[in-house]
Amino acid sequence: QVQLVESGGGLVQDGGSLRLACTASGNILTFNTMGWYRQDPEKQRELVASMSARGTIQYADSVKGRFTISRDNDKNTMYLQMDSLRPEDSAIYHCNLMNFYRGTSTGTYWGQGTQVTVSS
């Protein structure tokens, strides 16, 4: 079992910034990837950014150059710095953690989600 607790969502103006945080606890394996996904009522859930424990990073094309993912391994916390926010970034943002054993995913865990709303 892994528990993920998110924070940092809110309401900002077009062009503003927010920083999301996700703290993980429980059975976190050495090989894992943490990521941020977002979903609004009209769209499927999509990957925003992910970062492995070793530091490999992926970004969605729509957020490259605006969002920055990072991890503080000592605190088991992942951050998403979101700058130059646009109304189309509005969504519920969910923290995700995937454990891996011998190259295969053994568990996928989700946070409760935090609302990001960008007003025009």
Side-chain angles (χ1 to χ4, degrees):
Q1 287 275 71
V2 173
Q3 293 77 45
L4 303 171
V5 179
E6 302 153 321
S7 63
L11 173 65
V12 297
Q13 295 281 110
D14 191 354
S17 296
L18 287 171
R19 191 180 76 151
L20 307 183
C22 172
T23 298
S25 61
N27 187 26
I28 304 167
L29 300 184
T30 300
F31 297 99
N32 69 81
T33 296
M34 297 183 71
W36 292 98
Y37 292 73
R38 66 187 181 189
Q39 186 173 28
D40 66 36
E42 305 298 325
K43 298 179 180 179
Q44 295 181 324
R45 182 177 291 165
E46 65 175 349
L47 174 68
V48 178
S50 66
M51 188 172 185
S52 75
R54 293 186 175 185
T56 301
I57 294 173
Q58 293 275 108
Y59 291 105
D61 287 342
S62 60
V63 307
K64 287 180 179 177
R66 300 188 298 121
F67 292 9
T68 304
I69 191 170
S70 61
R71 293 178 62 157
D72 184 338
N73 291 329
D74 290 339
K75 297 181 178 180
N76 290 321
T77 299
M78 173 183 64
Y79 303 93
L80 186 67
Q81 178 67 43
M82 303 186 293
D83 298 318
S84 301
L85 283 162
R86 306 164 181 167
E88 53 263 40
D89 295 318
S90 297
I92 300 173
Y93 284 69
H94 293 268
C95 179
N96 170 269
L97 185 147
M98 296 181 66
N99 278 328
F100 292 88
Y101 178 71
R102 305 193 70 161
T104 300
S105 178
T106 60
T108 301
Y109 306 91
W110 295 94
Q112 78 284 355
T114 185
Q115 179 71 53
V116 172
T117 303
V118 185
S119 62
S120 60

